[in-house]
């Protein structure tokens, strides 16, 4: 059934919200775009005269597509090379969705996106729809085809699973620049103690190269172990420059609401290091080097306003 301009406009008005829901559910901007496109095809084929509330219909279709995708994604990630991290997205990108409340901003932090991986698909959907988008339990029950009391119970259970014991520090661009500059100076400096001092005692490090670029395949735990790994990673060599196709310039930025160091070669991003900052220090370092997860971020970064590089030629 062909879409009229009104039906197309209805979908386009909902697209940004649908993308934001799908990104939180899937942890991948690429997969989120695919899910939204599949939703559009369902909208195109639907008997739209029977659709009373297009927004609710589109949300239900999208969510169920994402639930199906999450079930198959678990099997695919069992064969993923090394550690899997959610796809990083530049703060300000519409894919991150609403950011009016603390809960909405935290729901797209790398820490929460990783914790969401521990939830079942239905737990993840109920939590995201409730916490980030403010749907009522009655609305969520209709979307995911569960009872309202069941949704309430699932939401309480999901909140318990997502408790970290850490309080993230919200950052603006200037704060992120300061944190990234301190981190880079400590990492590239002559002594390891300043870097250890920036990390919490229980700091963790995770690197995702996707089997495309070399990356440690197991998580690192403890400030000293993380600091030693980072010192080795930041030691320049021709071999490392060969991996990324040149000598990267290192910039400070804000990615998923966290301070980040972005490595750029010839106008494209080749790596991102995200720092989970708490009042006690940096509690997690997430290293993204899988090129397949950097396309959207690289395009956004190319048109974004940013400061001069912290380091011109690594």
């Amino acid at each position: 059934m062909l879409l009229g301009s009104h039906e197309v406009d209805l979908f386009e008005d909902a697209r940004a919200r649908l993308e934001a829901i799908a990104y939180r559910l899937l942890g991948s901007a690429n997969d989120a775009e695919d899910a939204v496109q599949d939703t559009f095809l369902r909208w195109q084929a639907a008997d739209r005269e029977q659709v009373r509330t297009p927004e609710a219909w589109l949300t239900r279709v999208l969510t169920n597509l994402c639930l199906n995708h999450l079930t198959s994604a678990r099997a695919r990630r069992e064969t993923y090379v090394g550690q899997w991290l959610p796809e990083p997205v530049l703060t300000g990108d519409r894919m991150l969705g609403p950011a009016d409340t603390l809960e909405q901003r935290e729901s797209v932090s790398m820490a929460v996106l990783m914790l969401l991986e521990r939830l079942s698909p239905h737990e993840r959907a109920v939590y995201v729809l409730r916490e980030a988008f403010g749907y009522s339990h009655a609305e969520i029950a209709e979307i995911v085809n569960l009872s309202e009391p069941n949704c309430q119970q699932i939401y309480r259970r999901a909140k318990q699973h997502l408790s970290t014991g850490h309080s993230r520090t919200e950052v603006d661009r200037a704060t992120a620049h300061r944190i990234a500059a301190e981190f880079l100076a400590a990492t590239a400096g002559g002594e390891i103690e300043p870097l250890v001092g920036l990390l919490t005692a229980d700091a963790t490090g995770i690197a995702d190269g996707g089997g495309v670029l070399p990356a440690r395949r197991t998580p690192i735990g403890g400030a000293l172990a993380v600091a030693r790994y980072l010192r080795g990673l930041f030691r320049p060599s021709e071999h490392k420059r060969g991996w990324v196709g040149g000598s990267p310039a290192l910039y400070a930025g804000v990615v998923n609401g966290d301070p980040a160091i972005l490595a750029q070669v010839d106008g494209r991003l080749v790596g991102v290091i995200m720092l989970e900052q708490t009042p006690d220090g940096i509690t997690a370092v997430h290293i993204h080097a899988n090129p397949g997860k950097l396309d959207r971020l690289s395009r956004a970064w190319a048109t974004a306003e940013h400061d001069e590089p912290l380091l011109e030629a690594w």
Side-chain angles (χ1 to χ4, degrees), residues 17-25 59 62-63 128-129 133 135:
R17 181 180 54 82
L18 295 174
E19 286 183 350
I21 292 172
Y23 174 68
R24 285 168 168 83
L25 290 178
T59 303
L62 173 84
T63 301
V128 165
L129 291 171
F133 294 90
Y135 283 91

Side-chain angles (χ1 to χ4, degrees):
M1 185 182 297
L2 293 176
L3 291 175
S5 59
H6 176 64
E7 287 90 352
V8 172
D9 289 343
L10 280 174
F11 186 86
E12 291 304 322
D13 288 343
R15 181 184 290 276
R17 181 180 54 82
L18 295 174
E19 286 183 350
I21 292 172
Y23 174 68
R24 285 168 168 83
L25 290 178
L26 302 177
S28 164
N30 286 332
D31 290 344
E33 289 176 338
D34 289 344
V36 172
Q37 184 59 29
D38 286 345
T39 302
F40 177 77
L41 295 177
R42 304 289 178 94
W43 176 240
Q44 188 175 41
D47 182 359
R48 292 180 297 278
E49 292 183 358
Q50 302 300 315
V51 177
R52 296 193 306 273
T53 311
E55 177 182 331
W57 188 94
L58 292 169
T59 303
R60 183 167 60 251
V61 169
L62 173 84
T63 301
N64 283 283
L65 285 169
C66 289
L67 288 173
N68 292 336
H69 183 93
L70 283 170
T71 301
S72 61
R74 288 177 182 270
R76 290 198 306 274
R77 285 172 195 167
E78 289 179 0
T79 61
Y80 191 83
V81 178
Q83 297 294 303
W84 184 92
L85 287 173
E87 182 178 343
V89 175
L90 191 67
T91 293
D93 190 316
R94 76 177 190 183
M95 184 70 73
L96 296 183
D100 298 326
T101 67
L102 175 63
E103 291 78 14
Q104 289 172 335
R105 293 189 292 275
E106 286 195 337
S107 70
V108 287
S109 69
M110 194 57 51
V112 170
L113 289 175
M114 290 176 65
L115 287 173
L116 286 172
E117 290 294 309
R118 302 180 185 178
L119 303 182
S120 70
H122 274 98
E123 285 176 334
R124 188 164 183 162
V126 170
Y127 178 84
V128 165
L129 291 171
R130 179 66 178 160
E131 193 79 358
F133 294 90
Y135 283 91
S136 69
H137 286 297
E139 291 171 321
I140 295 170
E142 185 175 349
I143 289 170
V144 299
N145 197 29
L146 295 171
S147 70
E148 185 175 346
N150 197 3
C151 286
Q152 291 173 332
Q153 184 179 20
I154 287 172
Y155 175 68
R156 287 194 296 268
R157 188 166 63 236
K159 290 226 21 158
Q160 291 172 352
H161 286 322
L162 294 177
S163 177
T164 65
H166 288 294
S167 176
R168 286 178 64 249
T169 299
E170 292 200 75
V171 300
D172 56 18
R173 182 172 154 188
T175 304
H177 188 280
R178 175 183 58 76
I179 292 169
E182 289 177 354
F183 175 84
L184 184 58
T187 305
E191 303 294 333
I192 199 170
E193 286 79 10
L195 179 55
V196 172
L198 292 179
L199 305 169
T200 61
D202 61 349
T204 59
I206 298 178
D208 180 353
V212 181
L213 286 178
R216 179 170 171 136
R217 298 192 179 188
T218 57
I220 311 158
L224 183 58
V226 172
R228 285 173 173 165
Y229 175 75
L230 290 169
R231 295 271 294 181
L233 180 67
F234 269 81
R235 193 170 296 118
S237 71
E238 288 302 322
H239 192 50
K240 292 174 185 173
R241 294 185 184 105
W243 294 341
V244 297
S247 180
L250 304 180
Y251 293 82
V254 187
V255 179
N256 289 80
D258 287 325
I261 294 173
L262 301 97
Q264 179 176 293
V265 174
D266 296 331
R268 62 187 174 88
L269 292 182
V270 297
V272 178
I273 298 176
M274 296 175 61
L275 309 173
E276 186 183 333
Q277 182 73 29
T278 72
D280 297 323
I282 297 169
T283 193
V285 180
H286 302 126
I287 302 167
H288 303 261
N290 183 347
K293 295 183 180 180
L294 297 177
D295 284 345
R296 184 183 182 96
L297 180 58
S298 190
R299 293 195 303 271
W301 181 253
T303 60
E305 180 183 351
H306 46 76
D307 298 324
E308 294 299 312
L310 298 171
L311 187 63
E312 284 279 7
W314 171 76

